[in-house]
Amino acid sequence: MLKEINENAQSLRHTCGAFFKSNLRRLKEQLDGADKIIIVGCGTAYNSGLVAKRWFEGCGCTLVDVEVASEVRYFPPKVTKSTLVLAVSQSGETADTVEAASILRGMGAYVVAITNVDYSAITKIADQVVNVVAGCEICVAATKSYIGQLTSLYMLSQLKKGTADCGFAVLNQIAQSVESVVQNDELIDKISSLCAKSSAVFFLGRGIDYAVAVEGSLKLKEVSYIFSDGYPAGELKHGTLALVDEKTLGIIIITHVQLLEKCQSTVEQIVSRHGRVVVITTLQGVLEKLKGKAECVLTLPEADENLSPFLTATAVQLIAYKTAVKLGRNPDRPRNLAKSVTVE
Ligand code: G6P
């Protein structure tokens, strides 16, 4: 798992380069003509869609839905001949995602497969393929393929927006920052010790940070077996706050400067119930603001909030990995899970 997290920047760069081998003219036509975009996937692939929804909406797409593939099988959403489906799957073999793509295509939608594996089942169903070039991913918990999926989805959103290089330049810059997150992991070590001592860990954030929080929670539960949930920060007070005590840890992701104050109040809500708090941020000056409240503030390189998921996701992957190791669990072979689920 660690080796694969260390390859995040490479996955980003290679996927970026490969994007231009896709038929961009056809993709652009579909993006511009779409009445709705539906992103489908399972697990981490689904979670990449939660991030991408924010990107597409920011680029003027009015209707963007993210669907869990296993639900689509029995409760397919409404589609028309102008609906664009982005079916995301690292392996391209996940039965639920392949079936969902097939059903939606049968209903008239145009299906683009976003996958790390050439000639996989999903590529045979799709109208078009966008390649993720993460390289072979062996660990059950997806890491570098998630970064590759985010890269493809970001570039598609920029293609829709009309950005000349589809985001190639800014993505290559962010790849350097991803490398520095992996290299400076002293604080991540401290955070994983806090996780290892916790009975439950809640990942919280707003907007795009919420989407990464969901993936952070999935990674942690997959490899450490600690109970975890990913939550919109503002929802905490509507139920989950009842679970907060001295054994719980809140990991709050903050990358929107305009939401900093709101997130500070989330920190206070947890601390006043004796819960412990860690903050992951790309904003400067947060450490000073939260002194005496958060146990630890991990300040990542400064980044545009839209590109921040590449950094915050790398950090949460490392936290999950280190927590599993601290608890003596083998992150490469998590119990009960399979890399690719080819049955329903
Ligand atoms: C399994 C794996 C997850 C993965 C999901 C989707 O459940 O354990 O890590 O995210 O399948 O896999 P896919 O290959 O379709 O991305």
Side-chain angles (χ1 to χ4, degrees), residues 30 40 83-87 100-106 108-113 122 125-129:
Q30 291 302 324
V40 286
T83 303
L84 174 62
V85 170
L86 304 175
S102 168
I103 289 169
L104 294 173
R105 188 165 187 273
Y110 187 88
V111 174
V112 174
I122 204 144
I125 282 164
D127 294 287
Q128 219 179 321
V129 177

Side-chain angles (χ1 to χ4, degrees), residues 18-47:
F19 187 75
F20 298 100
K21 291 185 191 143
S22 315
N23 185 335
L24 298 189
R25 193 184 50 79
R26 267 172 76 197
L27 281 171
K28 175 78 174 146
E29 274 168 18
Q30 291 302 324
L31 284 162
D32 287 344
D35 58 357
K36 170 157 96 164
I37 296 176
I38 302 175
I39 307 173
V40 286
C42 301
T44 293
Y46 168 82
N47 290 346

Side-chain angles (χ1 to χ4, degrees), residues 253-321:
I253 304 173
I254 312 177
T255 67
H256 300 250
V257 73
Q258 68 276 25
L259 293 176
L260 180 55
E261 236 171 80
K262 293 270 167 225
C263 289
Q264 271 177 260
S265 87
T266 308
V267 173
E268 279 150 18
Q269 281 168 13
I270 298 175
V271 170
S272 63
R273 272 87 186 177
H274 312 290
R276 285 159 309 131
V277 172
V278 161
V279 170
I280 299 176
T281 185
T282 49
L283 305 173
Q284 310 306 301
V286 175
L287 180 62
E288 292 71 38
K289 284 204 168 77
L290 294 178
K291 233 180 201 143
K293 291 180 189 152
E295 296 219 11
C296 183
V297 176
L298 174 64
T299 308
L300 303 174
E302 229 170 338
D304 177 276
E305 68 201 28
N306 274 314
L307 294 160
S308 67
F310 294 98
L311 309 183
T312 51
T314 300
V316 296
Q317 289 169 356
L318 282 167
I319 291 168
Y321 166 78

